[in-house]
């Protein structure tokens, strides 16, 4: 054979402890809010190479708030703010990614054709302020977050 045999064994585990809070409700009949936040302590355990280190792309703090306002004419507007705290870019904790806050917004309009058929047009802008940030990881640990991004959709509901 002449080749060497490689044996791979899984060791250790990730321990995640924390708190997540979420709330959704109406401020008025037309205006709703959804908010969530997470505080998380994540560590490797029983792994000689990574003992006590934090897994990649796991922030200690993250939060989001999403608002929706619906007008009487079938039009709705929404605005969302997402915050991701600083986190390690690799499992060995050799470098950190900065925290970032991203703002998204959108508008939708529903046309009620009859009692069984609706047409919904949506236009969304992700990363409205064109924030530079490092998103979730890859094998190398670094993925540049998308710049301002536009999306239009048409939905038929029956």
């Amino acid at each position: 054979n002449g080749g060497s045999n490689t044996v791979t064994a899984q060791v250790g585990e990730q321990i995640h402890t924390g708190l997540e809070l979420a709330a959704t409700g109406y401020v008025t009949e037309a205006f709703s809010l959804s908010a969530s936040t997470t505080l998380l302590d994540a560590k490797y355990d029983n792994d000689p190479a990574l003992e006590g280190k934090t897994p990649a792309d796991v922030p200690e703090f993250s939060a989001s708030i999403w608002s929706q306002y619906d007008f009487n004419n079938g039009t709705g507007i929404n605005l969302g703010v997402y915050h991701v705290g600083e986190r390690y870019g690799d499992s060995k904790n050799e470098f950190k990614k900065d925290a970032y806050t991203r703002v998204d917004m959108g508008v939708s309009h529903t046309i009620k054709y009859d009692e069984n058929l609706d047409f919904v047009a949506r236009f969304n802008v992700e990363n409205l302020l064109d924030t530079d940030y490092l998103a979730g990881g890859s094998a190398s640990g670094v993925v540049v977050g998308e710049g301002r991004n536009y999306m239009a959709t048409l939905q038929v509901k029956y």
Side-chain angles (χ1 to χ4, degrees), residues 56-76:
D57 281 311
V58 179
E60 286 184 29
F61 176 75
S62 60
S64 68
I65 187 166
W66 188 257
S67 63
Q68 170 87 24
Y69 187 86
D70 294 313
F71 297 93
N72 290 331
N73 65 358
T75 299

Side-chain angles (χ1 to χ4, degrees), residues 7-18:
V7 177
T8 302
Q10 184 171 340
V11 296
E13 59 187 348
Q14 292 183 24
I15 307 292
H16 295 242
T17 55

Side-chain angles (χ1 to χ4, degrees), residues 13-19 38-46 50-62 86-88 90-93 96:
E13 59 187 348
Q14 292 183 24
I15 307 292
H16 295 242
T17 55
L19 174 69
T38 302
L39 297 169
L40 187 62
D41 180 34
K43 298 286 183 223
Y44 287 104
D45 192 29
N46 297 320
L50 300 173
E51 185 74 31
K53 298 200 181 297
T54 301
D57 281 311
V58 179
E60 286 184 29
F61 176 75
S62 60
E86 126 180 316
R87 65 253 181 252
Y88 286 101
D90 66 334
S91 295
K92 294 180 181 180
N93 296 177
K96 278 193 170 183

Side-chain angles (χ1 to χ4, degrees), residues 4 16 47 59 74 79 82 101 103 109 113 115 118-119 128 145 153:
S4 65
H16 295 242
D47 184 337
L79 181 68
Y82 303 93
T101 301
V103 177
H109 185 72
Y113 183 76
E115 65 182 50
D118 291 343
F119 296 97
L128 178 69
T153 60

Side-chain angles (χ1 to χ4, degrees), residues 55-59 82-90 95-102 126-127 131-147:
D57 281 311
V58 179
Y82 303 93
H83 177 79
V84 176
E86 126 180 316
R87 65 253 181 252
Y88 286 101
D90 66 334
F95 69 97
K96 278 193 170 183
K97 296 178 181 178
D98 290 337
Y100 69 90
T101 301
R102 191 186 82 211
E126 187 174 283
N127 197 1
T131 301
D132 292 329
Y133 66 97
L134 297 177
S138 67
S140 68
V142 177
V143 172
V144 175
E146 285 193 41

Side-chain angles (χ1 to χ4, degrees), residues 122-126 149-153:
R122 290 186 180 87
F123 180 74
N124 294 307
V125 182
E126 187 174 283
N149 188 7
Y150 305 92
M151 184 185 339
T153 60

